[in-house]
Amino acid sequence: MVRSLWTAATGMNGQQANIDAISHNLSNVNTTGYKQQRAEFEDLIYQKLKLAGTPATEDTVTPVGIEQGAGVKVAATQRIFSQGSLQNTGVDTDVAIVGDGFIRVQQYDGSYAYTRDGALKVDMTGQLVTSEGLRVMPEIILPEGFALNTLTISDMGRVTVKVNGETTPTEVGQIELYRFPNEVGLKAVGDSLYQVTNASGGPIANRPGQDGMGIIKHKFLEMSNVSVVNEMVQMIVAQRAYEFNSKAVQTSDSMLSTAANLKR
């Protein structure tokens, strides 16, 4: 019965982690480029009271052993990099990635991070930056006298703009995309940014639309890939599982109380 108390407690802790992941998904349902998280679980070590195959007689063995589990633990929080829906914003600096790939940005300490958030802006120097002011890399600098409403970004990431009323657009930069051997191994650092880890592998750069890389959709944004309906269903399942585990704790406590009162 003491084992059942601890086993049920691990179940409650696991479902709390599940609810944490679900609530994080729901809170980011409108976050541009957000990728859904999923809590994954593993059973804990088993106490083997009798091993399967233990000799029963001289000629027979026990076909099934006796194992008692110790509960559950959180094994991983898997991030699901499925494509989010596209929203036509009409904003000249908005881009969406359709398919694989990330945009590289330079952080304030000089290191690189990667994002699917294409809500770009133009800073005071004419550079394309994120909403946090991080520069898109390779740098794309719009020339003086450009008209923002003439900014065009092709599916292949080619950036052109018309300067000083010219009729012929001028190419001012090229958006490159980066993918990883194991993108789920990237480390999320907030602000819709990811950093490279040993698990993700190094970035592989290429132009959009080449060698399996995604393409760029200008004046679109990729929305979160969270399904509110699915998350609500998972929340109900997690809530019920939490309740059942708490009921197991109460039942075990009641059984211990009964055993303690046998001498009375």
Side-chain angles (χ1 to χ4, degrees):
M1 287 182 286
V2 174
R3 180 187 292 110
S4 63
L5 282 171
W6 286 104
T7 300
T10 65
M12 294 177 70
N13 287 331
Q15 293 307 320
Q16 181 61 61
N18 197 13
I19 288 290
D20 290 343
I22 293 170
S23 62
H24 183 64
N25 289 337
L26 290 173
S27 65
N28 284 281
V29 70
N30 291 322
T31 300
T32 305
Y34 174 79
K35 298 304 177 184
Q36 171 192 2
Q37 272 190 318
R38 179 185 68 198
E40 298 179 349
F41 302 93
E42 291 179 351
D43 50 352
L44 291 174
I45 190 170
Y46 288 82
Q47 182 182 5
K48 296 176 175 58
L49 303 180
K50 183 172 69 174
L51 295 176
T54 301
T57 66
E58 292 182 358
D59 302 322
T60 62
V61 296
T62 55
V64 180
I66 301 175
E67 296 180 345
Q68 291 186 330
V72 68
K73 67 176 181 179
V74 179
T77 51
Q78 170 90 11
R79 194 170 294 275
I80 302 172
F81 281 94
S82 60
Q83 182 73 45
S85 61
L86 299 186
Q87 179 177 326
N88 187 350
T89 64
V91 178
D92 294 298
T93 54
D94 283 349
V95 294
I97 302 172
V98 182
D100 292 338
F102 295 82
I103 296 173
R104 174 187 270 183
V105 298
Q106 188 173 40
Q107 300 185 102
Y108 301 123
D109 61 359
S111 63
Y112 294 128
Y114 301 85
T115 183
R116 296 274 300 188
D117 183 1
L120 304 180
K121 308 290 186 291
V122 179
D123 70 3
M124 60 183 297
T125 64
Q127 288 191 344
L128 280 184
V129 297
T130 67
S131 298
E132 298 296 324
L134 304 181
R135 292 181 296 172
V136 173
M137 302 299 291
E139 292 183 342
I140 299 175
I141 303 176
L142 304 179
E144 294 184 4
F146 76 94
L148 185 59
N149 61 355
T150 65
L151 176 65
T152 302
I153 303 175
S154 70
D155 289 355
M156 306 295 288
R158 181 170 172 264
V159 183
T160 60
V161 70
K162 294 180 180 178
V163 182
N164 296 324
E166 296 178 354
T167 57
T168 303
T170 302
E171 183 172 350
V172 295
Q174 170 70 48
I175 294 179
E176 288 192 352
L177 296 182
Y178 299 79
R179 57 186 176 88
F180 299 86
N182 178 35
E183 60 187 10
V184 298
L186 292 169
K187 179 175 71 173
V189 294
D191 297 330
S192 298
L193 299 176
Y194 301 93
Q195 290 180 343
V196 177
T197 67
N198 291 335
S200 67
I204 303 170
N206 216 324
R207 292 190 175 186
Q210 296 184 0
D211 295 334
M213 204 70 77
I215 62 172
I216 299 293
K217 295 297 291 183
H218 186 211
K219 298 185 180 181
F220 282 80
L221 286 178
E222 180 191 11
M223 306 309 294
S224 168
N225 66 349
V226 173
S227 169
V228 175
V229 174
N230 290 340
E231 295 299 319
M232 293 300 294
V233 171
Q234 292 300 319
M235 180 182 292
I236 294 172
V237 172
Q239 180 184 4
R240 294 293 181 265
Y242 191 91
E243 292 174 354
F244 296 150
N245 279 284
S246 67
K247 184 63 177 177
V249 171
Q250 295 172 359
T251 301
S252 298
D253 178 63
S254 178
M255 293 172 68
L256 284 171
S257 178
T258 300
N261 293 328
L262 286 176
K263 290 185 178 181
R264 297 182 182 179

